[in-house]
Amino acid sequence: EDTDDFVSQIYRGVNLTVQRPFNRFRRIETSLSGMAVSESVYRGSFYSQEFTQDQEGTRYYFQPGLALITDKTLYGYTGPISGGRDRLSFDVAFGDLQYRTWLGDVRRYYNVRQRYALALRGIAATSDGRDPQYFRIGGPYTIRGYEYGEFRGTKIAMANAEFRFPLIEQLRLGWPLPLALQGVRGAIFFDVGGAWNDSSA
């Protein structure tokens, strides 16, 4: 093709969130959002370098949500070192957009000899309805080694394992400047995951 499309979406709205703790580590979270989404499609030609804009209009919807959260994470100076965190959430949208979305996020941290840590994470999400949400994964915070958002679909599943260790405890330079480098950590990781749609199953 000699043309390409670029989509611009602007979200405007308000959100109300109420949290009710059951104890020190577990809480339930309810939310209600009212949103307006404006979408524009820019079509450009590779040869003329000119763009035309098609205004798709504004869509309005309400999104109530419910989430159960458990958080027993213990943090060190470089991040989580022990414990874990779970989040199970459900959101539904009414109005010009209609969908249902479930998401589960489980994280575990294991401390090894005070200076080393093993971090595990698993995420699964699915969205259905007339206008299902699309999830994007890929990039440094989800699946490393791929472009940001390279995988896209209404369903995703991914897992990460990371072993974190001290790389440079302390390094001092006396010349040409008295510089000190300390607390640098390294990591060995393994990521796996994918995204797909019902139609591609």
Side-chain angles (χ1 to χ4, degrees):
E1 295 184 4
D2 61 353
T3 62
D4 199 4
D5 294 349
F6 302 90
V7 178
S8 172
Q9 292 180 328
I10 300 176
Y11 286 78
R12 299 181 179 90
V14 294
N15 175 266
L16 174 66
T17 301
V18 178
Q19 297 180 346
R20 169 67 165 86
F22 296 121
N23 51 45
R24 184 177 179 182
F25 304 109
R26 181 172 296 179
R27 69 182 186 270
I28 192 169
E29 183 178 287
T30 59
S31 62
L32 177 62
S33 301
M35 304 294 294
V37 184
S38 301
E39 181 175 292
S40 300
V41 178
Y42 297 87
R43 293 185 171 87
S45 172
F46 290 117
Y47 301 113
S48 65
Q49 304 257 325
E50 294 179 354
F51 291 91
T52 59
Q53 177 182 355
D54 294 336
Q55 189 72 31
E56 299 294 326
T58 301
R59 290 173 288 183
Y60 302 89
Y61 68 96
F62 291 96
Q63 178 181 293
L66 182 67
L68 179 63
I69 301 167
T70 302
D71 195 343
K72 299 181 180 179
T73 307
L74 177 64
Y75 288 85
Y77 72 95
T78 58
I81 59 173
S82 183
R85 187 176 191 271
D86 303 333
R87 179 184 178 91
L88 179 63
S89 66
F90 171 70
D91 297 289
V92 60
F94 301 99
D96 293 337
L97 294 181
Q98 298 179 19
Y99 59 79
R100 295 177 299 270
T101 299
W102 293 263
L103 184 142
D105 185 338
V106 177
R107 309 181 187 206
R108 293 292 181 269
Y109 308 100
Y110 300 95
N111 190 236
V112 182
R113 298 179 59 185
Q114 305 302 318
R115 303 168 62 207
Y116 305 86
L118 176 64
L120 305 175
R121 177 177 67 170
I123 295 177
T126 180
S127 185
D128 60 21
R130 191 188 68 188
D131 309 294
Q133 289 184 298
Y134 281 82
F135 306 98
R136 291 181 179 272
I137 56 176
Y141 300 107
T142 53
I143 303 180
R144 288 159 284 199
Y146 294 92
E147 295 294 330
Y148 178 79
E150 184 169 341
F151 304 102
R152 176 179 181 269
T154 59
K155 304 178 187 300
I156 61 168
M158 54 171 281
N160 311 103
E162 185 172 286
F163 181 67
R164 302 166 180 171
F165 55 90
L167 185 62
I168 299 177
E169 293 280 18
Q170 191 173 63
L171 178 64
R172 292 185 178 273
L173 301 177
W175 188 90
L177 294 174
L179 298 177
L181 185 63
Q182 60 185 6
V184 178
R185 298 179 62 82
I188 300 173
F189 62 85
F190 175 78
D191 301 332
V192 63
W196 66 97
N197 304 320
D198 284 331
S199 60
S200 63

